[in-house]
Amino acid sequence: MKIGIDKIGFYTPPLYVDMNELAEVRGDDPAKYTVGIGQSQMAVPPLSQDIVSMAANAALQILEEEDKQKIDLVIVGTESGFDASKSAATYVHQLLGIQPGARSMEIKHACYGATAGIQMAKGHIALHPDRKALVIGTDIARYGLATGGEVTQGAGAVAMLISADPRILAFEDEPAYVTHDIMDFWRPVYSPYAMVDGKYSNEQYIAFFQEVWNLYKGKNQRTLADMDAMCFHLPYTKMGKKALSQVLAEADEEKQAELLAAYEASILYNRNVGNIYTGSLYLSFLSLLENSTELAEGDRIGLFSYGSGAVGEFFAGTLVAGYREQLASADYADMFENRRKISVAEYEAIFSHSLPEDGSELAIDGSEDSSAVCLSGINTHKRHYFVK
Ligand code: HMG
């Protein structure tokens, strides 16, 4: 039985900052941001968007009534959780109107959370092929104003329906994965901002990729020549390129050119959104599907997932016949086009405004946010949402 991604949907908030403008205000050469780091725009969530509303907005792009009746597993991967106890998945389950006979949970492992969710969902569907699982990666990446990591911030969510006989990607082969306890990036619960050892995190990302890639090849008797595209967790678009460059020499020139062209298609969305942590790898996969003109049914896509702390995993799947019918390129073009560019000063004001933490009440004016699901306010430490 084939198990894999049946549908995939993406949401990013309606505001963004131009990286050229951010570089100028920070006194940096814009080329450092747009070429050296490889980011053009950074998504900025208004107060009316948090990880729950973004997750629901991403899932609403793909779910039909029949799916809501068949889903009995809802997994939200996030590292931007706002509650150490209540799961973001329960809000999402309710907002989407999924039938009540479902398991719902939040998974945390830095950017690896959604991949962990997918692998759990795969096991669930193997036991219950008639059911469906909803896996969402949703995050707001925050390093702080004028920090080294600021240029890699972003916000958004990717939702995937995992099922038997999937219509987009059928997982295959044995995944390869490793865990090593390292301090490259972390966020203590008392801090709204990530702590990071930037250069070390880059080195570890590459080291984990090389380790799981070699494990994957050994386990599955595959080589780079078997891959038609490689997608990477993208904290920023240059990072995946650095990893790919490590292994390109394993293939002939024609294959190298093919993989590099696929890589360029796979970074277009991420370049204009920023790091969305758990969703970044899957946003890159979606970007590849929507923007590559070379991909064909049956092509094998390799996926490298990395979550600081750290876990690395490499797995692969093949594109299912007719997968293009499941795509929604025009909707994503509209989503990007309808975003509003804000100035660096506006971004700084939004960034510095947070929800009350003392139990007091705040009603959020979502009138400028046309997203289907918005955070409407908070009182007595409880968040409230509305669906338009
Ligand atoms: P930095 O020190 O500001 O930048 O930090 P830099 O000096 O290293 O420059 C970056 C690149 O720009 C370099 O290219 C420069 O040469 C180039 P490279 O040598 O790397 O190819 N450059 C220029 N290019 C053109 N014109 C110019 C110019 N000037 C410089 N004028 C850093 C960069 C990524 C470290 C920082 O932004 C940071 O700390 N980011 C956050 C951490 C991060 O994203 N790490 C990635 C790996 S870890 C990971 O992926 C996990 C994560 O997603 C979290 C999770 O798992 O939950 C982060």
Side-chain angles (χ1 to χ4, degrees), residues 14 49 51 80 98 114 169 235 238 248 264 275 297 330 365 379:
Q49 290 301 322
I51 53 158
S80 325
I98 289 168
L169 188 78
K238 183 83 160 291
L248 268 184
E264 291 307 317
N275 193 355
E297 299 167 356
D365 175 15
N379 63 26

Side-chain angles (χ1 to χ4, degrees), residues 78-82 108 139-140 142 183 185-196 277:
T78 187
E79 56 176 297
S80 325
F82 53 78
K108 177 185 72 184
D139 273 298
I140 298 173
R142 288 166 78 93
M183 294 302 282
F185 169 106
W186 65 106
R187 184 172 70 81
V189 286
Y190 52 78
S191 173
Y193 307 129
M195 321 257 157
V196 63
Y277 291 157

Side-chain angles (χ1 to χ4, degrees), residues 29-265:
D29 179 354
K32 176 179 173 185
Y33 291 22
T34 56
V35 181
I37 301 276
Q39 292 303 123
S40 300
Q41 297 169 352
M42 176 174 88
V44 177
L47 220 49
S48 49
Q49 290 301 322
D50 70 1
I51 53 158
V52 166
S53 60
M54 292 196 304
N57 282 316
L60 279 174
Q61 316 268 348
I62 54 170
L63 295 190
E64 288 165 277
E65 196 47 46
E66 190 204 340
D67 300 323
K68 295 180 193 177
Q69 294 308 319
K70 287 202 168 158
I71 291 169
D72 71 344
L73 178 63
V74 180
I75 300 179
V76 172
T78 187
E79 56 176 297
S80 325
F82 53 78
D83 194 307
S85 176
K86 185 175 163 76
S87 162
T90 51
Y91 296 95
V92 172
H93 172 275
Q94 189 270 334
L95 286 166
L96 296 173
I98 289 168
Q99 59 86 23
R103 292 181 176 131
S104 300
M105 72 200 76
E106 181 178 316
I107 290 189
K108 177 185 72 184
H109 182 120
C111 299
Y112 178 72
T115 303
I118 285 177
Q119 298 301 355
M120 282 178 73
K122 192 173 143 192
H124 180 70
I125 300 299
L127 288 173
H128 308 286
D130 55 326
R131 319 268 176 83
K132 295 183 182 191
L134 178 65
V135 178
I136 308 175
T138 180
D139 273 298
I140 298 173
R142 288 166 78 93
Y143 291 87
L145 300 177
T147 57
E150 182 183 36
V151 59
T152 67
Q153 289 178 163
V158 177
M160 289 163 283
L161 196 61
I162 307 298
S163 74
D165 300 321
R167 284 171 287 181
I168 295 181
L169 188 78
F171 299 135
E172 55 158 35
D173 294 345
E174 271 293 303
Y177 37 86
V178 292
T179 295
H180 300 296
D181 179 11
I182 59 165
M183 294 302 282
D184 60 332
F185 169 106
W186 65 106
R187 184 172 70 81
V189 286
Y190 52 78
S191 173
Y193 307 129
M195 321 257 157
V196 63
D197 187 341
K199 302 276 184 253
Y200 180 60
S201 73
N202 288 353
E203 288 161 18
Q204 288 301 314
Y205 175 111
I206 301 280
F208 273 72
F209 169 61
Q210 284 176 321
E211 189 173 354
V212 292
W213 170 239
N214 287 329
L215 276 172
Y216 170 84
K217 284 189 296 181
K219 265 186 175 180
N220 297 289
Q221 303 304 304
R222 297 230 187 261
T223 69
L224 197 56
D226 296 313
M227 296 292 151
D228 297 296
M230 301 269 268
C231 289
F232 294 82
H233 163 57
L234 292 178
Y236 53 95
T237 67
K238 183 83 160 291
M239 189 72 245
K241 182 83 165 281
K242 287 185 190 195
L244 180 60
S245 309
Q246 302 291 316
V247 298
L248 268 184
E250 294 174 16
D252 63 24
E253 275 183 22
E254 196 183 333
K255 179 56 77 177
Q256 289 187 24
E258 184 189 336
L259 293 174
L260 283 169
Y263 183 77
E264 291 307 317

